[in-house]
Every structure is written in structure tokens, then in C-alpha cells.
Amino acid sequence: MAISLDTAVNSFNDRYIDALHQSQFSRQPAGEMLQQRFASILFEPKMLYIVIGTDSGLLSQYVLSATKPENTRYIFIEFPEIIDTLALEAQPDAQVRIVSPDALDDVLSDFSFNEYAFLGRVVIRHSLAASADYQKIYGPLIWDIEQKITHLFWSQAYSMGLKSFLQMQLINVPDYQLSSGLLSGRYQDKTALILAAGPSLNEHFDWIRENRERLVILAVSRIGKILLKENIKPDFFVHVDPQSIAFDVSKDALQLSGEVPLIAANYAQPLIVSQWRSSVFISESRLPWESELNEPTLPAVGPTVTNTALSSAISMGFSRVLFAGLDLCFDQAGFSHAQGTTEASSGPSMRMDTRRIRTNNGLEAETSPDYFAAIESLEQQATLADAQGIQLVNLSGSAAKIQGIEFIPAAQITFADTGVKPSIPGHVSEEERLAYLASLESELLDAKRQFQSALDAAEEATNLSQRLLNGKGEIDSRTQAKLNALESKIESLSPSMMRFCKVFSLGEFLSDISHKDADKWSENDLLAFGKHYFGTFYQALSEIVSLIDFAIDKTLRRHEELSATPDLDRLYKGWTIDQTFLRAIDWFDHHDQYLDQPKLKTVYDQMLLAYEKLEHDAQEKDEARCNHMASPSLMITKATWLFQNERIEELKDMLTFLGANTRRDFLPSHSALVRGYIAELEGKNQEALAEHQLIIEEGA
């Protein structure tokens, strides 16, 4: 380590490494300063805190001496030279570890990282020394740790099966008649073009238009607005995200949904899936348990929609896959998304947890931990593609260099004559649609019967578990036998249904994390465990039965939409509850005979207005989200950080953005601050003072 590790002692008898802290502890005792900074952010219950830096052992000692929540744990990550210099103990108590970066993996395993991560109870904190980083040693460490934890989080989301994914799967199943397996191997010797949302996307539209008939285009759903403006119609949209924000960013793709089919993960956002006007091809199983309705599909490989698009293209048989807009880094002006997206209109990225990486054209660009994790996952997919003889090509020189994906400028791409593009399968007759809905209804009714039986047993067991101990505090054998019988009844679900139930309720099971040895349990601990164990089954099974009821009702409403004499009141209520107003509009457009009735014409007009409001509200939410991520306060923080790190070119890019931006929350003083920083770095002190004077005058 190329810094001095000499220690100093302040007037309050606190010992610390002088180069790391400088004057941080000169004015008040370290304990007081750490209390002010960390008391409110380090002691939440049932948390795993990963703390970068120990503040020369003072922060770790502060945590050790504090009263800590029983199920909260702490991992302090420090440089080995600092650990050795200060003789910091690796395991000072059962809840705290102090480790070097190389030893982090083992401690994450020992401290049940997977459990905490699944519950969303992992937080990274920076010590005072890491935040200040006077010696510029903690910045790379912060990046490495945050990138590692981001990657692990993504692995958890897909390997353990998030509850929201399973919920969306059941909500979507009535609209998932077509398996994406119909597309498997269909495009042998053809070239696919995957369109992502990176800043370089805008460079390629002319080339795409020139070569449109030679390409099968798979576009991520969030660029629908851009494609509409550019008058480019893809062959497929791809959509995976279950969160409500997915509708906010992808809603414009619905305007093309009558002409462009959708490849969607089984857990995709229902407001997109249910309102798509043409074929929807499901990837992964229709139902979360074994069923004859679960047909082979294309894989929905995560963690991003681009990963899914690539895995789909590989399985569809393409011999070559091109990418446009797959940047996974910021452009030279700091923008993270293509022009035309809400992110781009809000401004360049204000993130500071970035690292410089090499781009295809040999330059450097900033990337974030989540982008870097996506790069790693794409490299793994590229290895699989290469093994199958599939060529992967990125058309963008400014995109991140990804091992296994070649860079070839668009102008150098050539095409062999491979004949016409295959037609897209997926036409479903009304009879086939009705047959699918009937089979699905039967499957769901049978599943509900089985889950309801398990639910009844779980409810009885939850109540009975509180009578497990007799008056002497001993286990009552008769009650124990009844509980065992009820547990067997719960577990009489088929293995796949039981697995679904346990994965669905995993968060609730883990929410009562306890690391107390079982032989130390009190009577109250034993009773609490029984109540939690059976109560969790009861809660999960209740939710599952409700979801199945919803899926059954939705299935019946889909059947009603096909009826010659539909129950329009039922349809209206369903469209309103689901907020699928565009689906209602589409239904009336195909049944315009009802629009002759004034009452139903009024319903139609209400649906039009409701969808306009849904779109408007979604756009406002999206703009607020993006503006928050590029807020003036974050701009000031990043500008100061760029100044401290002498990043003058990025400050100039920020100034260019401020000059062109029309947002009212960016004031003249913000531009003055950046100009002042630039002038100071260029040694123009008088100009810098003049700019700072403008800031003072504006604030007066």
C-alpha cells in the first residue's frame, strides 16, 4: 500500500491512521462523531450491513460497544495492511467480522447472505475514511464491493424465484396461450438485430432502414417510443420486467402491438401482456407447478431484457446476432440511454459509483455496477453462442467491449442471400382459444381444491400450535401427534405444488431469522416457532388460493370476451379492476355493433379517457423518477466530486447539458458552479471567483 500507515493520537486519546483521516477527528471525540453519523443508519433489525472501511478500527469498535439488534450482522471490509497495522481482530464477537476483500466470500456464506439478500435486508455503508478517500484508495474498493453485491443480488432474484415473479405468472396465465417454443429453430442461417436502449442506438437508424428486409429485429419494449418516431417496426418486441415501472417505460410499444408480436417472460408486467393486441409468446412455464399446459419454450435468461432477447435469438436458430444500442456504459457526455428516452431528457447520469472501462473503439467510458454485472452475464452467454457457431456482433464503437462479442461497424456488415424470412406462427382460431381457456379453467379449479385443503390444515395447525406445551411446560404428545398429522396434510400437495408454495413463502419463512441455538430455546421460543412456521404456511396458502381465484375469474372473463352474448357488466368491471382500458378499446373496435347503443358508446368513451389518464400518469411517474435520478442536488454532488478528482472533460460535458436543458429546477447558479470549477482547474482563478460571486448573488 503506497500510503503512510503512521498513526496519530488526538487530544481525546483516539488513535487512527493519520493519512486516512487527516483532520476528521481533530475537533471532537471519534465516538461522538461516529454516533452522529452512524447511529441512525447502522442499527436496523434483521439487517446485514457491509461496511467499507473501519475508520482505523474506531467505527468497528463503535459498533462492537453499541447495543445491536439480535439478528443484525456486520461485515467490515478493510485493507489487509490496515488490519495488520492496527491488529484488528477478525471475529471480535458473534455479530461482527472484520475481513480483507479476499476473504469476503467466505464471510458472506457464514453470515447467511442469501437469506438477507432474498429479504432485501443487505445494505452497504461507507466509513468516514472511505467516504472522504483522501488517499484515493477506497474508490476502487467501493466499486469492487458494490459490483460484487449487485451481481449476487441479481443471482438471488433469478435463482430463488422472487414472489412477485410467481404472482405475475398466475395473473398472466389466461393471456399466455402461445408458447415461444413455436419459434425455436425457425430462423436458421438468418441474421437477427437486437435493439437495446443505449446511447449509440440513435446512430444506426439510417442503416437499419436501408437493410430492414435483411434483418429480423428483436427490440426491447422500452424503446417503443423511439421506434414509433423513427417509423421502424421490429419483428418482435421483448419484455420481461414484472414491476409497475415496466409499464411506465414500455407503454409506447403498445401502439405497435397490433402489428408486432411480443416475446414475454411468464412474469412480465400484466399491463403490457394483457393489452397486447397481437400474438404474445410466453417464455418459461405457464403454471408454477407441473402441468400438461407447460410446453417447451424459449429460455428467459436474466438478469436484463437484453439477456432474454439474446437467449431467445440463440434458440430461434439465428446464425448471426447483431446488436445496436447495447452500450452498457455512458457516452462521452455522460448519458446512459438513447435520445428519445425519458432518462436522456432528464440529463446525464449523476452516479458516482462508476468505473472506467474500455470501449470497442479503444476509448474509455464510465459504467455502473449494474451495467458491469450485465457485461459479465453477456460474456457467459457469448461463450454458449460461440459453442453453437453463432456469431455475435456489436455495431457500436462506443459500446463497452464484451468478450465474445465482436465489434464490426455497420458499414462493414455484409449479407448473404438466405431467402425470404420465415413467417411468424401464432394465429389462434376462436375454437382453439376457447379450448385453451377451458383446459386452463379445469387445471386451476383442481389446483385450488388441493391448495384449499392444505390451507384448511395450516389454519388448524396454526391455532393448535399454541397448545403444544402442557401446564408443566412439557410437549403434549397428543397435540404433537395432531400437529404432525396436519403437517402431513399440508405436505400432501404434489411435490411441484409444495415446491411452489415454499418458494412463494420463502421470504416469510426467512423473515423470522434467528441464530439462537435450538438447545437454548425457551418455552416462548418454541411456541413462537410453531406459530410462525404454520402461520407462514397459512399466509402463503391464503395468498395462493386468492391468486388462483383471480386467475380463474380472469379466465372466465377472457371466455366472456369471446361469447356471442357477453355479460358486458362483468367485462366492464374486469377491465376497470385490471386497468386494461386499451384491451377494452380493442374489444369494442372488434365489436363495433355495440357502439350503436348510447350506454355502451359511453362506456367506450370512458375507456378511452381512462387509458389516456393511465398513460399520462405513467409518463409523469417516469419523468419524476428520472428527474430524481438527475436532480440538482445530485448534480452539485457529482460536480464537486469531478472537481476534486480533476475530471475537467466531464465537467465540460455537464456544462454543455446544463446549457441546453430546459428543466426549471436547474438554475443559473448550477451552471456558474460548474464554470467555476472548470476555471479553477484551468488555473483561471479570477474567472472562478467571478462565477462563485454569481452563486452568492443568486442566493442573496
Side-chain angles (χ1 to χ4, degrees):
M1 179 172 284
I3 67 167
S4 170
L5 296 178
D6 293 341
T7 60
V9 179
N10 64 11
S11 58
F12 308 102
N13 208 32
D14 298 314
R15 177 172 173 259
Y16 51 89
I17 294 175
D18 191 41
L20 297 181
H21 298 281
Q22 298 187 8
S23 62
Q24 280 183 328
F25 298 131
S26 62
R27 298 181 179 179
Q28 66 183 121
E32 290 183 7
M33 190 170 185
L34 295 170
Q35 171 78 10
Q36 293 168 3
R37 176 68 180 85
F38 294 104
S40 63
I41 62 172
L42 273 183
F43 298 100
E44 288 279 330
K46 299 178 183 178
M47 294 290 294
L48 175 60
Y49 289 105
I50 298 174
V51 186
I52 301 175
T54 61
D55 282 333
S56 297
L58 296 172
L59 178 56
S60 52
Q61 184 56 46
Y62 164 72
V63 170
L64 281 167
S65 60
T67 300
K68 300 179 285 296
E70 182 179 348
N71 291 326
T72 291
R73 293 176 165 188
Y74 302 82
I75 300 175
F76 287 90
I77 305 170
E78 188 59 276
F79 292 103
E81 297 89 343
I82 294 174
I83 292 174
D84 293 342
T85 297
L86 300 173
L88 300 178
E89 188 179 350
Q91 300 183 27
D93 77 11
Q95 293 176 254
V96 178
R97 295 288 185 275
I98 301 175
V99 299
S100 66
D102 291 342
L104 177 58
D105 288 344
D106 290 338
V107 179
L108 288 175
S109 177
D110 291 344
F111 268 14
S112 305
F113 171 85
N114 287 349
E115 297 178 7
Y116 286 102
F118 188 83
L119 296 169
R121 307 295 289 175
V122 179
V123 173
I124 297 175
R125 301 292 188 209
H126 301 168
S127 65
L128 296 177
S131 296
D133 200 15
Y134 294 118
Q135 302 302 319
K136 303 296 183 284
I137 61 172
Y138 282 105
L141 178 60
I142 290 171
W143 164 272
D144 288 340
I145 299 304
E146 292 190 346
Q147 189 274 324
K148 176 189 282 288
I149 298 304
T150 297
H151 185 77
L152 290 173
F153 262 120
W154 278 8
S155 298
Q156 286 299 103
Y158 282 81
S159 65
M160 298 182 76
L162 291 179
K163 184 175 182 177
S164 62
F165 289 16
L166 297 170
Q167 290 171 326
M168 295 302 110
Q169 185 177 359
L170 278 172
I171 290 171
N172 283 328
V173 67
D175 296 317
Y176 275 156
Q177 180 165 358
L178 289 172
S179 165
S180 61
L182 293 169
L183 306 173
S184 182
R186 195 173 181 86
Y187 294 88
Q188 300 291 330
D189 300 322
K190 297 295 185 291
T191 295
L193 173 63
I194 293 177
L195 301 182
S200 69
L201 175 66
N202 305 92
E203 303 169 7
H204 301 292
F205 290 134
D206 288 340
W207 180 86
I208 292 171
R209 277 186 280 265
E210 291 171 7
N211 296 279
R212 180 64 188 89
E213 295 307 312
R214 300 170 175 176
L215 300 163
V216 178
I217 298 178
L218 288 75
V220 301
S221 57
R222 65 173 296 127
I223 64 170
K225 181 179 180 180
I226 299 175
L227 296 184
L228 279 165
K229 180 181 177 182
E230 296 292 335
N231 196 28
I232 292 174
K233 185 176 70 175
D235 293 279
F236 298 93
F237 276 109
V238 184
H239 181 68
V240 300
D241 294 330
Q243 297 87 357
S244 60
I245 189 178
F247 175 76
D248 301 345
V249 302
S250 297
K251 62 186 181 301
D252 295 290
L254 287 168
Q255 294 185 47
L256 289 169
S257 67
E259 304 172 84
V260 181
L262 180 70
I263 299 173
N266 57 7
Y267 48 79
Q269 169 53 231
L271 280 178
I272 296 294
V273 173
S274 292
Q275 301 190 99
W276 205 263
R277 294 175 167 183
S278 62
S279 299
V280 178
F281 294 94
I282 177 180
S283 289
E284 303 296 341
S285 63
R286 288 192 180 96
L287 292 165
W289 55 79
E290 290 181 6
S291 168
E292 292 182 359
L293 292 177
N294 293 337
E295 300 175 88
T297 73
L298 303 178
V301 175
T304 71
V305 63
T306 305
N307 292 106
T308 298
L310 176 54
S311 66
S312 298
I314 291 171
S315 296
M316 290 164 75
F318 292 101
S319 60
R320 180 172 60 172
V321 180
L322 312 178
F323 297 93
L326 179 65
D327 293 22
L328 297 177
C329 61
F330 309 148
D331 68 10
Q332 293 303 304
F335 286 88
S336 60
H337 288 75
Q339 294 301 310
T341 60
T342 309
E343 286 86 353
S345 65
S346 294
S349 170
M350 299 300 171
R351 296 185 67 161
M352 293 184 293
D353 57 341
T354 59
R355 168 179 285 187
R356 297 189 75 76
I357 59 167
R358 188 70 60 183
T359 60
N360 284 326
N361 56 18
L363 301 177
E364 287 190 341
E366 298 290 322
T367 195
S368 58
D370 51 334
Y371 277 174
F372 195 79
I375 290 171
E376 291 185 326
S377 64
L378 282 166
E379 288 178 342
Q380 295 173 6
Q381 287 183 278
T383 300
L384 297 175
D386 182 64
Q388 298 179 46
I390 301 170
Q391 183 186 25
L392 305 184
V393 177
N394 199 325
L395 305 178
S396 303
S398 57
K401 188 175 181 61
I402 301 175
Q403 185 175 348
I405 301 180
E406 301 176 58
F407 165 53
I408 302 176
Q412 297 178 21
I413 296 294
T414 60
F415 295 89
D417 184 6
T418 59
V420 298
K421 290 189 289 187
S423 62
I424 298 174
H427 175 72
V428 179
S429 68
E430 184 171 309
E431 291 75 16
E432 290 171 324
R433 179 69 175 149
L434 289 169
Y436 170 71
L437 293 172
S439 297
L440 178 61
E441 181 187 358
S442 176
E443 173 81 24
L444 291 171
L445 287 170
D446 182 62
K448 179 186 176 181
R449 178 186 57 77
Q450 296 182 60
F451 281 112
Q452 184 65 55
S453 177
L455 171 60
D456 294 340
E459 181 178 21
E460 186 177 350
T462 302
N463 296 327
L464 187 61
S465 66
Q466 298 309 288
R467 300 197 293 274
L468 179 59
L469 301 181
N470 60 26
K472 298 179 181 179
E474 300 169 339
I475 293 177
D476 182 85
S477 59
R478 294 172 65 182
T479 302
Q480 179 69 66
K482 291 180 181 178
L483 285 173
N484 290 342
L486 290 169
E487 185 176 24
S488 295
K489 188 174 181 180
I490 295 171
E491 295 182 345
S492 66
L493 289 166
S494 71
S496 64
M497 286 183 171
M498 194 66 199
R499 182 169 59 252
F500 161 57
C501 179
K502 288 182 176 179
V503 172
F504 186 88
S505 57
L506 187 55
E508 285 75 20
F509 276 117
L510 294 178
S511 66
D512 195 36
I513 293 174
S514 176
H515 300 101
K516 184 186 291 187
D517 292 337
D519 57 4
K520 296 180 181 179
W521 281 13
S522 66
E523 294 177 11
N524 287 336
D525 290 332
L526 187 61
L527 292 175
F529 172 78
K531 183 178 181 180
H532 177 75
Y533 177 74
F534 289 111
T536 297
F537 269 123
Y538 174 73
Q539 177 183 342
L541 289 163
S542 296
E543 292 183 46
I544 289 170
V545 169
S546 294
L547 277 170
I548 293 174
D549 278 336
F550 180 86
I552 292 170
D553 181 67
K554 190 172 182 180
T555 301
L556 294 174
R557 285 189 275 120
R558 295 294 181 263
H559 191 284
E560 200 69 43
E561 289 176 347
L562 299 171
S563 172
T565 56
D567 182 341
L568 292 170
D569 285 338
R570 182 175 190 177
L571 290 179
Y572 173 76
K573 289 176 183 177
W575 292 326
T576 304
I577 291 171
D578 296 346
Q579 293 189 296
T580 50
F581 309 117
L582 188 60
R583 186 181 187 91
I585 294 165
D586 189 53
W587 188 89
F588 276 112
D589 287 344
H590 286 84
H591 299 79
D592 56 2
Q593 68 270 25
Y594 292 105
L595 296 179
D596 294 334
Q597 302 177 35
K599 179 181 178 181
L600 294 180
K601 179 62 168 63
T602 300
V603 169
Y604 179 76
D605 292 339
Q606 289 174 345
M607 294 291 104
L608 286 170
L609 291 173
Y611 187 69
E612 287 177 7
K613 184 177 187 304
L614 184 68
E615 275 196 311
H616 177 268
D617 292 348
Q619 185 61 33
E620 283 197 338
K621 284 192 298 178
D622 197 33
E623 290 175 0
R625 174 185 65 86
C626 293
N627 288 344
H628 176 73
M629 292 166 59
S631 66
S633 62
L634 289 176
M635 187 281 296
I636 292 170
T637 301
K638 182 161 187 178
T640 303
W641 182 81
L642 292 172
F643 169 70
Q644 292 170 341
N645 288 273
E646 301 181 1
R647 306 271 279 270
I648 190 168
E649 293 303 319
E650 289 166 72
L651 282 169
K652 289 180 179 179
D653 289 335
M654 183 179 288
L655 185 61
T656 299
F657 161 73
L658 290 172
N661 192 270
T662 58
R663 281 173 52 186
R664 295 181 179 180
D665 49 350
F666 283 114
L667 306 175
S669 58
H670 296 129
S671 296
L673 174 69
V674 178
R675 288 195 301 268
Y677 281 155
I678 293 171
E680 192 168 343
L681 289 174
E682 291 178 338
K684 302 174 182 178
N685 294 333
Q686 290 302 315
E687 290 184 22
L689 286 172
E691 297 295 347
H692 292 314
Q693 183 62 36
L694 289 175
I695 298 172
I696 294 171
E697 291 173 0
E698 183 175 296

